[in-house]
Each structure stands twice: as structure tokens, then as C-alpha cells.
């Protein structure tokens, strides 16, 4: 099984759930971590599962463990979220 690698090339990609619901947009990348500007309509349960409860002006960190696949246009999260 290959390891998911997020890079600065992922900035601007849409982050979606395993069922295709939009979570947000990758807004930045620093020190090996991609940051997501979340969709304002994101459900509280998913916010909690992603560990995004605290407000961060620079976006929320996207943990590679939460990512199932990366394409040219989007990052799809694992189905267990």
C-alpha cells in the first residue's frame, strides 16, 4: 500500500468526503502539512472527526491518515470518517 503524500501542488484542490460532499479547499501548505479552508456548511460531526474544532486563521491541518486518494482536481477523504 502506498503512502499518501500531500504537497504544495495540492493547493487549490477541493477536499471531499468519500461520498463526494465538499469539505473545503486546500488553501496552503507548510512544513509538510496541507491546510484546508473549510466549507462554512460543514457538519459539526465531520469537523470533530477531522480534529478541526479550534479556529485557525490559516486553515485547518489535513492529516494524511484521513486521505484516501488524490487526483488532479480533488482530495478524497477515507470512508471511515
Amino acid at each position: 500500500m502506498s503512502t499518501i503524500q500531500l504537497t504544495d501542488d495540492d493547493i487549490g484542490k477541493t477536499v471531499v468526503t468519500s461520498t463526494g460532499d465538499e469539505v473545503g479547499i486546500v488553501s496552503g501548505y507548510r512544513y509538510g502539512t496541507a491546510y484546508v479552508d473549510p466549507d462554512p456548511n460543514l457538519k459539526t460531526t465531520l469537523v470533530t472527526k477531522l480534529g478541526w474544532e479550534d479556529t485557525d486563521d490559516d486553515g485547518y491541518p489535513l492529516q494524511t491518515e484521513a486521505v484516501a486518494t488524490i487526483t488532479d482536481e480533488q482530495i478524497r477523504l477515507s470512508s471511515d470518517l
Side-chain angles (χ1 to χ4, degrees):
M1 185 172 157
S2 64
T3 303
I4 296 290
Q5 290 288 325
L6 296 166
T7 70
D8 60 351
D9 291 336
D10 295 317
I11 295 173
K13 290 184 181 179
T14 304
V15 180
V16 298
T17 64
S18 61
T19 58
D21 296 324
E22 187 171 327
V23 172
I25 303 288
V26 177
S27 59
Y29 181 83
R30 291 183 311 283
Y31 306 110
T33 302
Y35 289 84
V36 177
D37 182 17
D39 184 302
N41 299 319
L42 191 60
K43 293 181 181 178
T44 305
T45 53
L46 186 56
V47 168
T48 301
K49 286 181 180 183
L50 289 168
W52 293 353
E53 296 92 0
D54 298 325
T55 302
D56 184 341
D57 293 336
D58 294 331
Y60 295 97
L62 180 59
Q63 304 302 320
T64 57
E65 298 83 25
V67 177
T69 59
I70 301 173
T71 68
D72 289 339
E73 296 179 3
Q74 66 181 214
I75 296 172
R76 188 167 294 266
L77 299 176
S78 301
S79 60
D80 59 346
L81 291 176

